Structures are given as structure tokens and as C-alpha cells.
Amino acid sequence: MIARRLAAVVSPLCLMATTQAQGSVLTVDDGPFEHGVVWRIDLQANGSIDSLELVPAPAGVSDHDLFGAGLARLGDLNGDGRPELVAGAPDEDRAGRRRGVVWVLSPDTNGELVPRHALRPGWSFASGSSQDRFGAALAPLGDLDGDGTLELAAAGSGTSAGSLWILSLAFDASVVRALEHGGAGGLGGGLENGDAFGASLAMLGDLDGDGTLELAAGAPADTDGAIGSGAVWILSLAEDGTLASHQKISATTGGFGGSILTDAFGSAVTALGDVNDDGTPDLAVGAPSDDDGDTDAGSVWILFLAPDGTVSAEQKISKLAGGLASHSDLRFGSALAPLGDLNGDGTPDLAVGAQGGTAGGALFVLFLAPDGTVSGQTRHGSAFGVVNGDELGASLAEIGDWDGDGRPDLLVGAARRDGEPLPTDFSDVASAIAAASSGDTILVRGGEYDLGPGGALIQGKSLTLQAAHPGNVHLGEGLTIAGLGSAQSAHLVGLNLVGGDGVAALTLASNAGRIWIDGCSITWSSFVQLESQPGLSISSCAAVVLNRTSVTSGLHGVTNELPASPGMQTSASRVYAYESSFGGADGLGGSCSGPPNPVTCYEPGGAGILATTVDDFLFLSGCTVQGGDGRTTPCRAGGAGLATAGRAKALDTSFAGGTGCPDGSPTSGDVEPLSGASLAMAADTPTRAGEDTLIAFAGPPGAGVFVLYSLATNPRYRPALQGAYLLGGASVLDYAGRIGPDGTLRTLEFLGLLPPGVEVLRLYAQAYYQLPASPDFPGKLSPYPRPIQLGAGTVLNRLQSGL
């Protein structure tokens, strides 16, 4: 066994960690637009509001998230006697897509709601669906299977058919099981792309007394009868969350006799209880695009259900029907919630949201008669202080008697209301970059920032540019980093960078210092096809490290039959990429200049990565590289995956050329594939700078090993610093050793080289045989005969194997 403390870094591959002083933290915020706001209100028996309080949003909510677009009372998840609430933010942006999140909120001992857990498809649970806007609708299912865990129905309403998840939650709000329904062709072929299945959800109880529970799910874009008519599905759920049966209610099926052409029927659903006292629970359905009385005035249908889920009778409530008093609000029926028998007349009552109109939306309390008509009503709007566009009433949820006063309480959402502004130093990123001193950190809160004509420039100073919430910061028109000295470094974390006309999304030029790019999306995109650019342009840079980053060139190619732009283009630079993806632009055609007039050109596809000089060196680990497509008619070649005039070494990386005539080659130039697999560890509790970390590898005794480490930092949120992060540098280190007689190599690494405040959450390691020296490495590297495995139980400081 060999144990060695890292005291110096000797390899030419090493990127020395520079200990730079922690500078100032500058915050940038363009305002929390469309953040989303939720209130808890206490209703009196006459429908008036007794009290109103704002529900604090989790610190992770950013602008454009639409926090509170989905709301529900989950139940007592952890057995402390206090029920949890769930709130969806379906437009939370991750990697440039509105993927969505569901926040689990728990009351503390003082009754204040605090965020407990965030549920995200693909992170909190496996999801094979591409469906976005998770959390647009929520419904509690209780303990569906009797195993002591609570189930939650959660859905999205993106551009596809729509999806519904049945999630089983443990006491700590983690997902134990996840089952997905929906997608095109789902429900026996009844779903089509664009149906928006799952836009609304409501638990109905056991309609037919067979022991299975029924769930109502709206599909407001269903085309039965006409485009956008809408539909509601009644789903019978077995104990394991699978579908036992289903019944559709629309303009053409399910016994429904009303007219709902283009009304978006199913945008909201809620269980009312037994309104007509026939022994079967009834259903309210919102149709906010109904033109009854005015364009998009909206309506609500009271559906009297039969035990089989069909409609035995219906009653419409609108400006022209059902006894509703005249009002000026739009999109009445946007959201619905049951109120029980609020006024004590023996008939269930109903809360209705109307999210349109110049008043910013409204909340209606409807007192229902046994025939489903309105016997009385109240309207609320001004009490919430909303303005036009806030969309008060976009979501509603009945949460029981929250405060113990004997009356039901209600959650009311205004999904597009701006949040309260936080203390900030700048409202735009370009100004913050210009004002920052070397060593400063610029913390950017969520938003879409225009860096100005030609983009913004970081020149000759060390800076960290960090998204407060990764994936929710968009920087447009291009960023350039140039002139870093050998003791300087730049760090970009969690940003979505988009290039503009004639400008790459990110340009790195003439930098002797290190540039670290972590968790970013970098793409060129412009409607001016004559000026196509790579997503990332690198020239004369000593060391660029990309970790978990996507790099592409979008849209079409350039003029006059030239290849479309590569995703990344390098010149005389060294680049190290880990778990990242690269894609070239498609050369599918655009306007070409030339006599006598501009014509249409069809260009070859661009390379995923193009390295143009013999001085380029690339090391790729765990990456995917894809060339852009060309055309087959007329014949244009697909782009190469990787084309290099320099040298490239690739480990656990896939290459593919674009389709075309002919197809592009996966790689061209001096590309050496390295066998074996990348090794990764992840820590729930981070290792801090200055601590020792024991890493263990197993292999044949006596084998020489060269280990390349990438220490990826992920700083933690610090509310005490008004939303700032404690940030530090990131580093790539290396180590050479030899497998001991017991078949293991243990390296004791001292992380004191890293600046103060750094928390290492990920460590990537790859081991090779070390043989006699060569110009490329301190010892020529031959790949290990099989993937190196981290030794079980030999990693200290709570680092856990991520393999």
C-alpha cells in the first residue's frame, strides 16, 4: 500500500490552483419577474375574507418559475401532526428548458411554511418522458397502497400529449417509487400530441364502490368536437398506481351533453362532493376559453356523475347561465377548489379563479344550490393588491381548517405576479462585469440578460460569474474572456450563454490563466443565417476545463457552400472536458449572397468540435460529440463529430458524424481512444479545502498508475449574505503512484491548494499504467486493462462512490 500526501504538482497536464483572495460578491438581478406568489386565506361563512397571509416562497424560486401554478394539501408526511403542502413551479428552467419542480412545504412549530424538498423529474426520480412543465397540476392520493407512504399525483402540460406521475413519497419527502402515465397513444390510444393531458387533477374518491380510487385529469387541448374543445379523463387507480380502467368525458363521449367547442374544457377540475344528493360524488370542470357573454369570459360546468364515471346531467355556470351575477373578469374557471358547505345550507360550495382581465385576476366564492346553479357569490381581487398580468386565481387548493377556527382555508396563487425585489448591486450583467475588480464574484439571479451589442468582455482580471440558481440565467449576445495572466482565472457556473449576430456565445482568447466552465449551456442562435458562429470559440488559451456543459451551434450554416459552424472551435489551446456534450450546426440551407441576387444555399453540416492547429490538445472524458447534418438533395456532407489538426485523447466518449451525402465521419485527425471508464465520486457532505481525502483504487500489484483528478466545486447558498455564495476556484490535479502488494493504491490528497470557501462535491479520476516518459506525459500512459474501481469503504470524509 502506498499513501502519499500531495505536496506539489509536477505534470505538464496539471492546471495549478492559484490561491487568490476572496473578493467582493456583487449581485445582479433584473427583478423577480413572473416569480409566482401564493396566499393562504381564511374564509368566513358569508364568503368574505377573514385573514390573508403570504406563503413564503423557497429560496430556490426564481423569476419566470410560476411558483404556485399547481397547489395541493399533501397530508402529514412525517407523522408530526402537521400536514405538508406542495406547490408546483412548472416553468423552472434547467438547461434552457422549462422542466418544472414541485416544492414540498412543511409547517414549523410556529406554523410557518418552510421548504423541505424539491421534486424534479430526472433528478428526484427516473423519468423517460420528455414532457416539460412538471408541477403544473397536483392532487394528493393519500396512502394509495396502504404501505405507510403517501402518494401524490403530479402532471405537466408541455407541448406533447401530457404526462401524469404517481409518486410515492417517504417521510423525508424523497421519492420511493414513480409511475408515469400518458404520452402520445396513452390511455388505450386516446391521447394525442398537444392534448395537454394532466393540465388539471382532482381526486374523486371511490365513485363506484369497488375499492379503487378515481382521479380526474383534464386535457383542455383535446380535439373531440373541435380544436381546443377539451376533455376530462376519469381514471381508476389500482393500489400500485396502475390504471384499472378509464372513462373519457368530452363533446363526443361520456354522456356529456353541453357545447364546449374551443372552450378548453378541462383546464381545471375539482371534486365537489355529492351536490345533488344521489350518492355519487360530483365534479366541477373549468372551461376558461368559453365565449359565453364575452370573448374568453369562461365558464364552469357542474357534472353530476354516474358511478361508472359518465355524466348523468350537467349544469353550466357562466355570464349567461346558472345564476352567476354579471362580472367583467376574463377566463372564469381557470382554477377550482371545493369549500365544503361553507354557508351551512346543506350543499357543497365552490371557489373559482378568473386569471384574466385588467384587474390582474379574481377569486369567486360560489354558493351552490342542489341543482348546481349559483344561489349567491362573492368576488375578491383588490384585497390581494394584484395588477394587470398577475393572474390571481391561476391556481387554488383547499387545505382544510389550517388555523383551527372551524372554517376551511384556501391557497390562492397568482402565478405571474412579480416577487419581492431582493437587495442587489446591478440590474444588468454587463455593468457588473465592468465594475468588478479582480477576484470578485458576480452572483446573477434568474433572468434573461442582454449583454449589449457585441456582448460583454472580461479582460485581464480574475472573475467568477455564477448563476444563483443554475440553468435559470440566460446571457445573450455573447461573452468574451481575454488576456488572463498565468496567475489569473475565470469561473463560469450554471449559465445559459447564447450568441448573437456574428458573435459566438462564448469567446475565450489569449488567456494564460485557467478558465473553468461548470454546468453551463453554450449555444449560438440567430435568425441572421449569414453570420453563423460556433457556440464556443477558443484561441490561444493555456487551459480550459468544461464540466457537465453543453456546447452547440444552432440554426443553419453560413454562406456560399461553406460548412456550418462547429459547436466548439479551438486554435492553439488546451481543453479538458468532462461529462459534456458538443454538437455542430446543421447545414440545411439559408440565404447566400452572390450575383445576380441572393439565392438559397445548402451547406455541409458543422463539426461537433473543430480543432484547427497542430498546437491544439483535447482531453475528453465521458462526453458525447455529434456533427451537424448536411443534405442528401442536393448532396451536402454531414459534419464530423471531432475534426482536429492537433492531438486529442478520448476516454469513455462517443463520437458521431452528422447525416448527409456522404455522412460525416465520427472523428478525423490524431484522436487516441483510451479504454477504461471514467470514475466519479459524489459527496452529500462536501470535503472542504484543507481537509485530507483518502482515495483508493484496486488493481494488479506493482502496476504503475497515473491519476488525473478534476475537483469540481459546487458552492452552497448562504442566506446570510443576501443570497450570495461563498465561491472559490476549481482545479485539476494529478498524481502518480504504484499499486501496492495488496492490490490497492491509496492516495492521501491534501486539498489545501484550493482557495478558502471551496467545497468539493465531485471528484473525477482516471487511472492508467505509467510507463517510460514521452513528450506528452510525465510517463507514457497506457490504459488500464479494465476499469479501475473505487475501493469499497476506503473513502473518507463521507465521499460516496457515484459509479
Side-chain angles (χ1 to χ4, degrees):
M1 179 182 76
I2 295 177
R4 199 181 278 185
R5 182 180 295 276
L6 182 65
V9 180
V10 297
S11 168
L13 270 182
C14 169
L15 310 178
M16 277 296 288
T18 57
T19 305
Q20 81 185 34
Q22 179 80 41
S24 301
V25 176
L26 308 176
T27 55
V28 180
D29 196 345
D30 61 352
F33 302 121
E34 297 188 347
H35 173 281
V37 170
V38 176
W39 291 272
R40 184 188 67 82
I41 67 171
D42 189 9
L43 290 172
Q44 298 194 49
N46 63 1
S48 63
I49 295 177
D50 183 58
S51 64
L52 179 152
E53 66 178 8
L54 197 65
V55 175
V61 176
S62 188
D63 53 343
H64 303 290
D65 280 6
L66 307 191
F67 172 71
L71 296 169
R73 180 185 189 272
L74 180 59
D76 185 3
L77 195 62
N78 59 357
D80 64 356
R82 298 186 296 270
E84 273 70 35
L85 305 179
V86 283
D91 277 19
E92 185 194 62
D93 193 336
R94 300 198 304 281
R97 287 177 56 188
R98 307 293 187 190
R99 296 180 182 272
V101 60
V102 170
W103 294 94
V104 180
L105 309 175
S106 294
D108 61 16
T109 54
N110 297 319
E112 295 292 328
L113 286 166
V114 294
R116 183 176 177 189
H117 205 81
L119 306 176
R120 295 180 173 94
W123 291 15
S124 304
F125 57 93
S127 172
S129 173
S130 62
Q131 176 69 34
D132 293 337
R133 305 200 74 242
F134 173 73
L138 303 165
L141 303 178
D143 185 358
L144 192 62
D145 53 4
D147 66 349
T149 63
L150 294 182
E151 273 70 48
L152 174 69
S157 59
T159 57
S160 67
S163 288
L164 164 68
W165 285 269
I166 307 298
L167 306 179
S168 294
L169 303 181
F171 72 95
D172 62 353
S174 62
V175 178
V176 178
R177 293 180 301 279
L179 181 65
E180 186 177 359
H181 302 293
L187 301 183
L191 294 182
E192 299 178 351
N193 280 335
D195 279 359
F197 169 73
S200 60
L201 297 171
M203 172 53 72
L204 295 174
D206 187 358
L207 284 181
D208 53 6
D210 67 349
T212 62
L213 297 179
E214 273 69 48
L215 176 72
D222 188 278
T223 57
D224 277 7
I227 294 175
S229 291
V232 173
W233 291 84
I234 308 299
L235 311 176
S236 292
L237 299 178
E239 288 186 355
D240 60 359
T242 59
L243 295 183
S245 62
H246 53 78
Q247 171 64 54
K248 185 178 184 180
I249 300 172
S250 71
T252 61
T253 191
F256 179 66
S259 175
I260 52 171
L261 300 183
T262 71
D263 289 354
F265 176 80
S267 294
V269 292
T270 198
L272 282 174
D274 190 0
V275 176
N276 60 352
D277 199 25
D278 66 351
T280 303
D282 301 313
L283 180 68
V285 180
S289 296
D290 194 328
D291 294 339
D292 220 9
D294 201 353
T295 302
D296 286 341
S299 65
V300 173
W301 290 87
I302 308 300
L303 305 186
F304 300 103
L305 297 179
D308 63 358
T310 60
V311 179
S312 60
E314 66 271 334
Q315 172 62 55
K316 184 177 185 180
I317 300 172
S318 71
K319 283 186 176 183
L320 303 180
L324 183 69
S326 179
H327 63 85
S328 60
D329 295 286
L330 300 179
R331 298 192 63 77
F332 176 81
S334 301
L336 302 168
L339 295 176
D341 185 6
L342 186 63
N343 62 354
D345 66 353
T347 304
D349 303 312
L350 177 66
V352 181
Q355 70 185 63
T358 56
L363 166 68
F364 288 80
V365 175
L366 305 185
F367 299 105
L368 299 180
D371 62 358
T373 59
V374 178
S375 61
Q377 70 184 64
T378 60
R379 179 194 178 279
H380 306 287
S382 59
F384 297 89
V386 292
V387 298
N388 186 26
D390 282 356
E391 296 191 0
L392 174 71
S395 56
L396 299 170
E398 187 271 327
I399 57 173
D401 185 6
W402 189 264
D403 53 8
D405 64 356
R407 298 190 300 267
D409 295 291
L410 192 67
L411 294 182
V412 183
R416 296 191 183 275
R417 183 178 175 86
D418 296 344
E420 294 298 321
L422 297 173
T424 188
D425 300 311
F426 298 91
S427 61
D428 69 279
V429 174
S431 296
I433 290 173
S437 300
S438 189
D440 285 351
T441 291
I442 299 174
L443 181 78
V444 187
R445 299 194 183 109
E448 299 182 5
Y449 300 87
D450 190 332
L451 297 178
L457 172 65
I458 298 174
Q459 186 166 25
K461 57 184 177 183
S462 294
L463 282 183
T464 295
L465 198 58
Q466 162 87 42
H469 306 296
N472 208 8
V473 171
H474 299 258
L475 305 182
E477 299 304 320
L479 174 67
T480 298
I481 302 175
L484 295 181
S486 59
Q488 295 177 318
S489 61
H491 307 99
L492 306 179
V493 185
L495 305 171
N496 293 335
L497 297 152
V498 182
D501 295 343
V503 180
L506 179 61
T507 300
L508 311 176
S510 301
N511 294 292
R514 179 188 65 250
I515 298 173
W516 178 273
I517 303 169
D518 188 5
C520 293
S521 172
I522 304 170
T523 187
W524 182 88
S525 180
S526 173
F527 289 106
V528 182
Q529 298 173 359
L530 303 182
E531 301 179 349
S532 176
Q533 295 288 322
L536 173 57
S537 175
I538 305 173
S539 61
S540 301
C541 289
V544 178
V545 180
L546 296 99
N547 182 48
R548 297 178 299 120
T549 289
S550 170
V551 182
T552 58
S553 180
L555 296 183
H556 303 305
V558 295
T559 63
N560 300 328
E561 309 293 315
L562 297 175
S565 295
M568 180 176 76
Q569 181 168 323
T570 71
S571 173
S573 299
R574 299 176 74 86
V575 179
Y576 307 83
Y578 302 87
E579 296 185 21
S580 296
S581 62
F582 303 85
D586 294 335
L588 298 184
S591 298
C592 276
S593 60
N597 295 303
V599 296
T600 299
C601 286
Y602 298 93
E603 297 84 9
I609 299 175
L610 176 63
T612 62
T613 71
V614 295
D615 296 324
D616 282 299
F617 174 80
L618 303 172
F619 179 82
L620 307 173
S621 176
C623 296
T624 59
V625 186
Q626 173 69 58
D629 294 336
R631 290 278 288 219
T632 55
T633 306
C635 183
R636 297 293 183 269
L642 167 63
T644 178
R647 294 164 299 152
K649 295 184 181 292
L651 166 73
D652 199 18
T653 292
S654 64
F655 300 92
T659 61
C661 177
D663 291 342
S665 61
T667 63
S668 64
D670 185 3
V671 181
E672 179 184 351
L674 303 175
S675 63
S678 299
L679 303 181
M681 291 181 297
D684 292 331
T685 301
T687 298
R688 299 178 183 277
E691 294 181 348
D692 292 340
T693 302
L694 183 65
I695 314 297
F697 300 91
V705 174
F706 176 90
V707 181
L708 176 68
Y709 297 107
S710 291
L711 303 176
T713 64
N714 188 352
R716 293 294 191 180
Y717 186 72
R718 300 292 190 274
L721 297 181
Q722 297 180 342
Y725 286 77
L726 293 178
L727 296 175
S731 178
V732 173
L733 309 175
D734 60 42
Y735 174 79
R738 190 170 295 277
I739 297 289
D742 64 348
T744 64
L745 166 66
R746 294 184 174 92
T747 70
L748 188 64
E749 304 297 354
F750 180 64
L751 303 183
L753 291 176
L754 300 180
V758 172
E759 298 177 339
V760 179
L761 290 190
R762 280 174 296 279
L763 186 149
Y764 300 90
Q766 175 59 38
Y768 306 93
Y769 282 130
Q770 185 179 7
L771 299 177
S774 74
D776 291 338
F777 297 100
K780 180 175 174 57
L781 301 184
S782 296
Y784 215 68
R786 63 180 184 277
I788 304 288
Q789 300 297 321
L790 294 173
T794 58
V795 182
L796 302 184
N797 292 331
R798 288 171 287 188
L799 284 170
Q800 299 174 351
S801 172
L803 294 176

